[in-house]
Amino acid sequence: MKLSSILLPAAAIGLAAIGGTDAQQTQPACSSVYTRKELLSLTASEWNLYKAILTAMQRDGWFQWFAYLHRTWFGQIHGHSQFFPFHRRFVHEWERVGKQYNGAFAQPYWDEMRDYRTPASSQVLTSNWVGGNGQGANFCVQNGFQAGWTMTYPNSHCFSRNFRNNGNPTSWYSPEYISSFVQTSANMAAFRPGIEFSLHGIVHLDIGGEMSQPTSPNDWIFMLHHANLDRLWWQWQNNGHMWTMDGPNADGSAISINSNIAYFNEPIRNVMQLGYGNMCFQYASNPIRRRDLDSTAENRLIHKLPQDMLTKWFPETAKKTEGIAAPITPSQLAPGKSIPYPGTLSDDWIRMHGYNIADVRKVEATARSFVDDMKKVGYTSN
């Protein structure tokens, strides 16, 4: 069962004050809002249109430009609290360019937690979608819409991927763990490294090739991946953190919503709340005007975990167990598999980003502790 819907009890609320502007908000509400869909939910006509747009963007040098920007600003947008606001603005800028080719373009996201057990077998990584692993000595990708592309930055080379572990990456981070992390992170200083050093890093490193380099926007998976990370940030924001921006800036000073976003030279507050200013988009998993919540997956957790484990790892979900859990169906209790340990980041990749190795290993240890606790109580999932 896919557990993306339990990332927080109010994940579907979206915009905290759609009927009345938040006191922190200084920008006008959007007159209309478009939706970023999960990639595999696109219709055939939408996907054909998007492939044509992306091919035109490659022809006109936009993949090269965004790879250049990401590499140039690499040290100022990783390892501190610029990470989320920069990438929200960066993906939106990419999307804005795409809309110049056709206004119907909206950058999709890849729900990578759905595919966490065996990432290489994801439907996303097939010839009908973005293609799979590279082939030959240079790991040139030969299927998917980017097959046979020649990338021109930082030099002329074939478009490449090099899946880790001899083409079969180990498991990524489960939806349960990401759900738990969204519920237990008290501030950006905790939330940012917890995501950056886990799901963010493992996807980049395991896809490899373009994705393992500072020029990773050469691979469109970069945009799918960071749209998904942005979706997780938005869900965390709606868990009482709409305007939470703390921790270190690139220069070591304290960051705030009034700090400027690296490269874009505009205040972080401009991108904090979807549905306002230029952030006129929402995610299909939690549209900004919806207030209902599909509680099927959450109900599964409530019935399968003891109260102390719910309180430790899913504190917001635990609050909902006082006599209000709906009866569970046999399908929700169907046997599954234990959650596997996620893969780890290599020392070289950690150093490339300027991360502190001990900080990364601490995040990874917390994820393993979560898996250990789930195994102790016999929790299984699909």
Side-chain angles (χ1 to χ4, degrees), residues 82-251:
Q82 281 277 344
F83 176 78
F84 278 108
F86 173 85
H87 285 93
R88 175 172 287 176
R89 183 65 180 84
F90 189 72
V91 174
H92 182 264
E93 185 68 9
W94 168 269
E95 187 174 56
R96 186 191 65 79
V97 173
K99 284 183 175 294
Q100 293 179 353
Y101 291 83
N102 190 301
F105 181 74
Q107 174 59 48
Y109 64 92
W110 175 13
D111 184 0
E112 297 134 336
M113 290 88 75
R114 174 193 58 218
D115 302 321
Y116 82 101
R117 286 188 180 274
T118 54
S121 66
S122 170
Q123 187 179 347
V124 170
L125 300 175
T126 61
S127 58
N128 289 335
W129 295 95
V130 305
N133 199 13
Q135 304 296 319
N138 295 321
F139 298 97
C140 303
V141 175
Q142 299 177 8
N143 64 353
F145 80 93
Q146 288 186 269
W149 281 17
T150 297
M151 312 311 293
T152 59
Y153 185 78
N155 49 52
S156 181
H157 64 280
C158 73
F159 171 69
S160 68
R161 294 192 186 116
N162 182 9
F163 292 178
R164 203 160 57 140
N165 194 32
N166 296 316
N168 187 30
T170 55
S171 298
W172 291 347
Y173 287 79
S174 70
E176 289 91 344
Y177 177 71
I178 298 299
S179 302
S180 170
F181 196 75
V182 168
Q183 293 190 30
T184 56
S185 297
N187 51 40
M188 178 58 75
F191 181 73
R192 189 274 309 164
I195 295 296
E196 187 176 2
F197 300 162
S198 63
L199 184 63
H200 164 255
I202 201 68
V203 173
H204 271 283
L205 187 58
D206 277 359
I207 296 297
E210 314 289 349
M211 278 287 282
S212 64
Q213 302 299 320
T215 53
S216 48
N218 274 330
D219 191 335
W220 191 55
I221 286 179
F222 174 97
M223 298 298 171
L224 294 170
H225 180 40
H226 277 276
N228 189 46
L229 299 179
D230 185 68
R231 181 178 68 100
L232 299 180
W233 179 28
W234 178 237
Q235 291 173 330
W236 180 73
Q237 286 183 277
N238 279 282
N239 196 29
H241 301 288
M242 183 60 67
W243 296 97
T244 300
M245 184 53 57
D246 55 65
N249 207 335
D251 61 1

